[in-house]
């Protein structure tokens, strides 16, 4: 097959940057049918498709793309969903450039097939048409509890329900969805998309119980005592890290979790119609270089900040954020201060932050993460004015479940220790997603939820009835 | 949904109301010193309130709150038989209750009488000699005197204006108790407005009597996820919702805490305006 005759990678239609920086509507508008078919025809339908190796949940990429090329979108949706139960979400937020698309052979010489965009197209197309009601699975007669309703918990619950288990999903917040609901902004992942997935879960018969904090209202042991044959812990990495520099508790300094939760979960951008306030000043500084930092910086612009600056201690190359989001941030006018990190936050007489005292860095030898370690340049101190600071330097495991579950082993990072199947130190108790790996990605959390669902099924089938009432 | 099974208007100026809410899971686990978070409706804020009492059999939780802003005013409008959309708890660490050799003192100022009651009761049940001090601006704002009396070995009631009990602040009553007892007090709990807790902590610091206060910073999730509730205790930043809400009053950075309480002041006023002009007539929109 000749590559020459093939069309170029089809651009994603987007809202104009100058318009979108002022609204919370989705930035990337999605392919129309014609664009999708054109993009799908770029795929070489490789005999040994390299792309497969890049997808953590083994979506049959060439097969579904073939169906798109042939205009059989319903078939394409079925193929994707055989491996990925949340394609509308993954198509939007997977870091494709380091996963599936990184492996695509076309990418070696040209641009890779836009696998993520096609996946999103297929999922949106199906959602538009109305998803078929799932056929009820034959009942297994055993109950399984899933704690936490992020992508790990949602996937595990869906798979267990499909296998015929009676699943109860517990969530601490008043809305299920985890980071998909409280963290990732509407303009990148519309909440209606997440809601559709949650509705699907309800149709599968999953009993979703919100407003229950496991470790407080109920413990894992009590759930087991209640006759649940197994438990899956998907409680995420929700504990915000701060930098530990002086002045970090000044007014106007927020964790990214607080800033984004106020905006997304509580709909602070529609204050006072919604009663939870969220505020930005004129100059916002966001500390960090990941997806969370990009989301915060772009949110700040939409909330009315005149300037929004990413302050990152390494260089552009090391930034862990998705490439597409960095591009979008640039286009919207987010500024970047690389090789920079604050050593102190300075406040005014009312206790409000007014500036960051920063140091410049240069890159030294690679550290444990393989990235070159930033080294401060002596005497490089300078002042960066900011009246709002958002700290987005990562998050750790919330210790609530760990502390209240006797015998649950943790690893050296304070995360729950679990094997490849999610099996923890307690028989019948499984864990996966960010609570095991530390802050990672949606697709990895889903993959973990999937694996644990299978492992739980094997565990319960191996000892039928033993743990039921 | 969490039905309101009992509503009582405790005072009208300012409005103070009691709600008993059916929330079996919270009632089953509630302990003195803990709180819950509620959300009235889809547009509502998540607001934290202390568990003032609970009934494990009936599965109910009692709380007493003052209408200070938009969210508490919206809450106050709900009636018996209506329901609250979200209700999650118990949150925070329970009070540390043990038998002390010498008397302990429980001070409740204003709305703080409600949260101090279950602590006094638990201390009494643990075999302590409990001295209660409750106070408010005036007679109308004193409540649960009978309930406090029932769990305290001694109870002093004060009002700022002298309209009931002894005239003056709870701090003055506390000083008298300390003097009369010749300093033999093991521990003090002080709950009320931030300024009261601060003054009491400053008063008891030279006495070297451990003084526990219950912090009420701005909160959002109440599970340790956001850090909105940060307080500086000693040199350490703590999250009040999971590390507290009770802390050693002598170690709190009060200046910071009082400034942080005002972060959303402007927005709170805007929200209040929205609530107060609902029903119209004010011509503001
Ligand atoms: C702002 C932001 C942007 C991101 N952007 C991307 C992106 O573009 N692409 C990508 O792949 N990844 C992204 N990520 C990372 C991704 O969202 C996470 O890796 C993923 O959500 C982890 O899923 P999880 O199911 O393990 O946990 P979570 O999504 O964190 O969900 C855990 C859930 O458990 C609940 N919970 C916690 N403790 C308890 C308890 N004791 N009782 C009951 N419930 C509890 C929590 O409330 C939460 O709802 C982003 C993360 C953030 C914060
Ligand atoms: C652990 C804890 C226990 C509490 N217990 C009680 C109680 O038993 N009875 C009672 O009357 N009040 C209690 N409060 C205070 C109560 O939560 C606030 O009065 C309420 O949130 C104010 O909301 P609003 O919209 O009516 O007023 P707003 O106009 O929003 O604010 C008025 C004041 O309340 C504070 N406040 C605002 N939002 C919050 C928030 N989300 N969390 C905490 N404080 C906030 C502000 O600092 C401000 O000073 C408690 C607070 C905490 C943190
Ligand atoms: S799930 Fe993610 S990694 Fe897998 S094919 Fe889809 S976009 Fe690529
Ligand atoms: S590697 Fe690229 S071209 Fe080959 S099958 Fe996969 S997506 Fe198509
Ligand atoms: S309220 Fe969010 S961490 Fe305490």
């Amino acid at each position: 097959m000749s590559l020459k005759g093939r069309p170029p990678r089809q651009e994603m239609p987007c809202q104009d940057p100058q318009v979108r920086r002022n609204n919370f509507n989705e930035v990337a508008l999605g392919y129309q049918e014609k664009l999708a078919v054109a993009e799908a025809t770029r795929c070489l339908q490789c005999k040994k498709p390299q792309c497969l190796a890049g997808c953590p949940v083994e979506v049959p990429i060439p097969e579904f793309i073939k169906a798109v090329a042939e205009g059989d979108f319903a078939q394409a949706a079925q193929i994707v969903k055989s491996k990925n139960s949340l394609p509308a979400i993954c198509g939007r937020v997977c870091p494709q450039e380091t996963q599936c698309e990184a492996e695509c052979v076309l990418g070696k010489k040209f641009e890779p097939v836009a696998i993520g965009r096609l996946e999103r197209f297929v999922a949106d197309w199906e959602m538009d048409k109305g998803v078929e009601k799932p056929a009820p699975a034959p009942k297994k007669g055993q109950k399984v509890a899933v704690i936490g309703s992020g992508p790990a918990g949602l996937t595990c619950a869906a798979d267990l329900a499909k296998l015929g288990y009676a699943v109860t999903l517990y969530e601490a917040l008043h809305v299920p969805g985890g980071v998909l609901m409280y963290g990732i902004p509407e303009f990148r992942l519309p909440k209606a998309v997440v809601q559709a997935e949650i509705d699907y879960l309800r149709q599968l018969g999953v009993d979703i119980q919100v407003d229950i904090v496991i470790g407080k209202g109920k413990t894992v042991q009590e759930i087991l005592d209640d006759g649940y044959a197994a438990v899956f812990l998907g409680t995420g990495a929700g504990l915000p890290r701060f930098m530990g520099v002086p002045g970090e508790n000044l007014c106007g300094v927020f964790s990214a979790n607080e800033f984004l939760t106020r905006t997304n979960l509580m709909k602070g951008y529609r204050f006072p119609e919604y009663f939870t306030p969220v505020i930005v000043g004129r100059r916002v500084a966001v500390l960090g270089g990941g997806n969370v930092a990009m989301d915060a910086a772009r949110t700040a612009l939409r909330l009315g900040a005149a300037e929004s600056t990413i302050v990152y201690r390494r260089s552009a190359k090391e930034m862990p954020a998705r490439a597409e989001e960095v591009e979008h941030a640039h286009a919207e006018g987010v500024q970047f201060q690389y090789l920079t990190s604050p050593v102190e936050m300075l406040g005014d007489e009312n206790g409000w932050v007014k500036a960051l005292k920063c140091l410049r860095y240069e890159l030294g030898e690679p550290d444990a993460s393989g990235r070159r370690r930033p080294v401060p340049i002596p005497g490089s101190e300078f002042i960066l004015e900011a009246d709002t600071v958002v700290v987005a330097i990562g998050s750790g495991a919330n210790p609530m479940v760990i502390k209240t579950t006797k015998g649950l082993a943790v690893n050296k990072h304070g995360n729950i220790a679990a094997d490849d199947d999610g099996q923890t130190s307690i028989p019948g108790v499984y864990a996966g997603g960010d609570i095991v790996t530390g802050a990672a990605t949606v697709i990895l959390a889903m993959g973990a939820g999937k694996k644990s669902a299978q492992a739980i099924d094997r565990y319960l089938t191996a000892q039928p009835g033993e743990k039921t009432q | 949904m969490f039905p309101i099974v009992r509503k009582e208007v405790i005072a009208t100026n300012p409005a103070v109301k009691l709600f008993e809410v059916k929330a079996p899971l919270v009632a089953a686990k509630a302990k003195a010193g803990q709180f819950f978070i509620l959300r009235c409706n889809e547009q509502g804020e998540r607001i934290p309130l202390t568990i003032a009492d609970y009934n494990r059999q009936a599965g109910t939780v009692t709380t007493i709150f003052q209408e200070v802003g938009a969210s508490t005013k919206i809450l106050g409008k709900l009636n018996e038989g209506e329901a609250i959309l979200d209700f999650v708890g118990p949150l925070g660490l329970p009070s540390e209750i043990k038998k002390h050799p010498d008397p302990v003192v429980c001070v409740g100022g204003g709305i703080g009488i409600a949260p101090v009651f279950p602590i006094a009761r638990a201390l009494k049940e643990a075999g302590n000699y409990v001295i209660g001090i409750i106070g408010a601006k005036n007679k109308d704002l004193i409540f649960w005197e009978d309930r406090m009396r029932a769990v305290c070995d001694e109870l002093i009631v004060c009002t700022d204006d002298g309209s009931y009990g002894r005239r003056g602040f709870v701090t003055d009553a506390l000083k008298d108790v300390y003097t009369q007892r010749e300093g033999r007090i093991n521990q003090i709990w002080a709950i009320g407005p931030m300024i009261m807790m601060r003054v009491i902590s400053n008063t008891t610091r030279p006495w070297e009597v451990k003084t526990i206060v219950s912090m009420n910073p701005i909160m959002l999730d109440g599970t340790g996820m956001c850090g909105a509730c940060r307080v500086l205790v000693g040199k350490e930043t703590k999250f009040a919702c999971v590390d507290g809400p009770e802390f050693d009053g002598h170690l709190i950075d009060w200046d910071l805490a009082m400034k942080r309480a005002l972060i959303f002041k402007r927005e709170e006023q805007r929200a209040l305006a929205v609530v107060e002009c609902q029903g119209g007539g004010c011509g503001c929109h």
Side-chain angles (χ1 to χ4, degrees), chain A residues 93 95 147-153 170-173 178-179 182-184 188 212-214 234-237 260 291-292 295 322 401 432-434 440-442 445:
Chain A
V93 305
I147 321 296
S149 63
Y170 291 103
E171 169 55 48
L173 293 170
V179 168
Y182 78 72
I184 305 181
R188 205 149 71 75
I212 297 181
V213 184
I214 302 303
T235 49
L260 292 170
N291 286 318
V292 187
D295 284 345
R322 290 182 69 212
V401 168
D434 282 4
T441 60
V442 171

Side-chain angles (χ1 to χ4, degrees), chain A residues 178-421:
Chain A
V179 168
L180 305 177
M181 277 296 192
Y182 78 72
I184 305 181
E186 176 78 19
F187 59 80
R188 205 149 71 75
L189 178 62
K191 299 311 147 214
V193 172
V194 186
Q195 192 54 51
E197 300 299 352
I198 289 159
D199 292 343
Y200 179 74
L201 220 61
R202 287 213 171 87
Q203 287 186 1
L204 285 172
V206 174
D207 174 25
I208 304 181
Q209 301 267 346
V210 293
D211 292 327
I212 297 181
V213 184
I214 302 303
K216 288 284 178 189
K218 250 185 206 301
T219 62
V220 171
Q221 190 56 51
E222 284 167 342
I223 290 172
L224 290 169
D225 294 346
D226 266 356
Y228 284 88
V231 176
F232 175 77
L233 305 171
T235 49
L239 186 76
R241 284 207 191 98
F242 286 90
M243 303 209 49
V245 299
E248 204 159 25
N249 293 324
L250 287 164
C251 303
V253 181
F254 304 102
S255 75
N257 276 359
E258 177 179 0
F259 188 65
L260 292 170
T261 301
R262 286 183 177 278
T263 313
N264 301 321
L265 182 73
M266 306 309 296
K267 299 204 167 49
Y269 64 96
R270 287 166 71 179
F271 179 86
E273 179 197 350
Y274 285 76
F275 279 95
T276 307
V278 57
I279 46 177
V280 290
R282 268 181 47 74
R283 290 203 173 106
V284 180
V286 178
L287 315 180
N291 286 318
V292 187
M294 296 307 136
D295 284 345
R298 298 171 71 197
T299 295
L301 287 178
R302 285 161 173 78
L303 291 172
E307 277 174 31
S308 177
T309 307
I310 294 270
V311 179
Y312 181 55
R313 64 195 182 116
R314 303 185 203 240
S315 74
K317 219 174 75 212
E318 285 82 21
M319 274 205 308
R322 290 182 69 212
E324 184 179 328
E325 306 310 333
V326 178
E327 270 166 43
H328 282 158
H330 269 292
E332 288 163 17
V334 171
Q335 296 170 31
F336 291 78
Q337 288 272 359
Y338 296 115
L339 294 164
T340 303
S341 188
V343 287
E344 188 179 349
M345 302 189 189
L346 309 171
D348 66 15
E349 63 281 4
N350 297 318
W352 276 83
V353 66
K354 61 175 187 190
L356 298 176
K357 191 196 275 179
C358 296
L359 276 184
R360 296 279 188 206
Y361 284 68
E362 57 193 0
L363 292 179
E365 295 300 306
D367 63 11
S369 74
R371 294 178 300 177
R372 294 175 64 194
R373 181 200 303 276
V375 187
I377 303 173
S380 63
E381 255 174 44
F382 72 103
I383 299 290
L384 185 75
E385 281 180 38
D387 47 15
T388 306
V389 175
V390 181
V391 184
I393 57 165
S395 50
N398 188 319
M400 193 111 66
V401 168
I402 295 167
K403 270 200 214 152
T404 54
T405 309
K406 233 195 234 138
L408 188 62
V410 296
N411 63 22
K412 64 176 189 292
H413 304 292
N415 296 316
I416 296 177
D419 69 12
D420 277 353
D421 282 339

Side-chain angles (χ1 to χ4, degrees), chain B residues 241-258:
Chain B
C241 68
V242 285
D243 303 325
E246 292 187 357
F247 295 104
D248 183 338
H250 296 159
L251 299 178
I252 300 273
D253 183 334
W254 292 101
D255 261 341
L256 181 76
M258 295 180 95

Side-chain angles (χ1 to χ4, degrees), chain B residues 196-217:
Chain B
M196 175 207 113
M197 297 193 286
R198 177 184 196 160
V199 170
I200 290 193
S201 298
N202 286 340
T203 306
T204 63
R205 189 176 288 111
W207 304 348
E208 294 178 4
V209 177
K210 185 153 186 184
T211 302
I212 301 293
V213 297
S214 181
M215 296 303 281
N216 47 7

Side-chain angles (χ1 to χ4, degrees), chain A residues 6 276 423:
Chain A
R6 290 180 187 272
T276 307
Q423 169 70 58

